Amino acid sequence: MPAAGGAATPSATASAACQADSPVRLDVVFRPGAATPQIGEVDYRIGQARGDTGLRCGGRTVAARPDGDGRVVLSVLLAQGEDPAPIRAAVEKLPGVERVVTAGG
């Protein structure tokens, strides 16, 4: 059992290192009626724009949820010091995307 406890600690530390002190979230807001393939393409492009940061931080998407108007919002928690500009540039002009918003921080 001590080995399992020791294994959990580095993993928790690595996860904490990937989150900003004040979490910064990038929200991609889709136009009403955006299709599942469009959402999937945006998620793929986010992964490409993040490169190994997305892999190191254990995933790209925090949540995909409807906003108050029923639009789908795809949210990504950024790593500490990660620049949202490349992600924004990679997805803001894709079909179905209405806007890209940075929140927090």
Side-chain angles (χ1 to χ4, degrees):
M1 291 292 177
T9 304
S11 177
T13 303
S15 295
C18 286
Q19 295 180 4
D21 292 334
S22 299
V24 177
R25 191 181 73 235
L26 193 72
D27 291 339
V28 179
V29 181
F30 290 87
R31 291 184 182 92
T36 300
Q38 292 171 324
I39 296 168
E41 176 67 14
V42 168
D43 191 41
Y44 173 78
R45 296 285 183 99
I46 289 170
Q48 294 292 308
R50 293 188 81 190
D52 64 351
T53 300
L55 296 174
R56 186 180 70 236
C57 292
R60 298 185 292 270
T61 305
V62 171
R65 66 193 187 291
D67 69 4
D69 296 325
R71 289 174 174 85
V72 173
V73 178
L74 191 68
S75 297
V76 178
L77 187 64
L78 300 178
Q80 186 172 5
E82 184 176 6
D83 182 6
I87 300 170
R88 179 185 306 275
V91 301
E92 67 186 349
K93 302 225 188 288
L94 290 176
V97 174
E98 184 175 281
R99 65 186 180 276
V100 181
V101 183
T102 305

